[in-house]
Amino acid sequence: MPEQLTIAQERLTLAAAHWHAPEETPGLWLKARITLTLTEQDADRTQRYQDALREVTLQLAQEHERRERFRQAVFDTPDATRIWWLDRHLDDLDSLDWDVFKEKILPLVGAADDIQSKAERIAQTLLYVWEKLGDNPGQHERFMTTVRTVLDHMGWSDAIAFLTPGESSAAHSSESVRVDGGVSRPVAEAGAAR
């Protein structure tokens, strides 16, 4: 390798550049300048190795730069990632699987906690809870009563209007529900009794 040859020559030059006396010949002082060379065949082989090493290093650097630009362009924001995912499936929209996107691709995004992702997670959680409640209207009402109570307790009474369109928080706070053996209580009290 040319660098190793240069390093070896510098070390030898440094060792032999100062005047020094050999141990077995007193009165004799030596100083030298040493030049190392490779044979033509070794120099060609070394040059081919250096060229191949340089090419591989350049390819790795280009690949790293390409991946970094791809990451910045595609995975910087959730919206950019969604557009990329849609673009990849434009030729075959039937193969577009948003569940795979949410499970495998979206977690790779730098800012995966965007509003749409949070809203989807909350919606999935609420859907799961709603499915667990089953078809029992009493379970549904008890759950809604508890949610209203929590919202009211947190001081978020204005959010109660989002639970059931057309109803106001005032209607819910004065409404009464039958719980535990048919005793009628106001919503806030019924939620706390649970």
Side-chain angles (χ1 to χ4, degrees):
M1 302 266 312
E3 310 86 41
Q4 291 172 324
L5 183 67
T6 304
I7 291 169
Q9 181 168 320
E10 286 173 355
R11 286 180 182 164
L12 281 172
T13 301
L14 189 60
H18 302 289
W19 289 104
H20 63 280
E23 291 178 12
E24 298 175 0
T25 47
L28 179 66
W29 291 85
L30 297 174
K31 176 178 167 180
R33 181 170 185 250
I34 300 172
T35 303
L36 299 176
T37 57
L38 293 173
T39 64
E40 189 176 329
Q41 183 182 7
D42 287 340
D44 288 343
R45 187 172 40 218
T46 301
Q47 189 60 51
R48 284 194 308 272
Y49 176 77
Q50 285 291 96
D51 292 344
L53 187 63
R54 211 173 284 118
E55 184 178 339
V56 168
T57 304
L58 178 62
Q59 287 174 352
L60 288 173
Q62 288 173 334
E63 182 63 21
H64 177 73
E65 185 179 338
R66 184 192 70 78
R67 285 182 183 166
E68 185 60 26
R69 274 187 274 142
F70 178 78
R71 186 194 64 73
Q72 289 174 353
V74 174
F75 291 104
D76 193 40
T77 66
D79 286 338
T81 309
R82 285 184 190 94
I83 291 168
W84 167 79
W85 184 252
L86 183 61
D87 184 57
R88 286 184 48 91
H89 295 88
L90 278 180
D91 293 337
D92 185 16
L93 289 177
D94 293 335
S95 69
L96 188 62
D97 188 349
W98 287 106
D99 290 333
V100 170
F101 173 81
K102 284 186 257 184
E103 292 171 14
K104 307 282 185 194
I105 306 295
L106 196 57
L108 300 174
V109 179
D113 285 343
D114 68 313
I115 292 173
Q116 184 171 346
S117 299
K118 288 178 182 178
E120 287 174 358
R121 283 195 300 271
I122 290 169
Q124 287 173 348
T125 303
L126 290 175
L127 181 61
Y128 171 79
V129 168
W130 200 255
E131 288 172 353
K132 292 291 276 182
L133 291 173
D135 292 333
N136 184 338
Q139 285 280 82
H140 286 261
E141 185 56 38
R142 219 169 314 154
F143 176 73
M144 294 305 289
T145 299
T146 304
V147 171
R148 286 183 193 112
T149 303
V150 169
L151 291 174
D152 193 45
H153 184 71
M154 295 297 293
W156 302 335
S157 298
D158 56 333
I160 294 175
F162 293 108
L163 295 176
T164 310
E167 296 180 11
S168 67
S169 60
H172 293 304
S173 61
S174 61
E175 182 180 302
S176 40
V177 179
R178 294 175 61 90
V179 292
D180 300 332
V183 178
S184 187
R185 298 187 184 166
V187 168
E189 192 180 324
R194 178 103 171 87

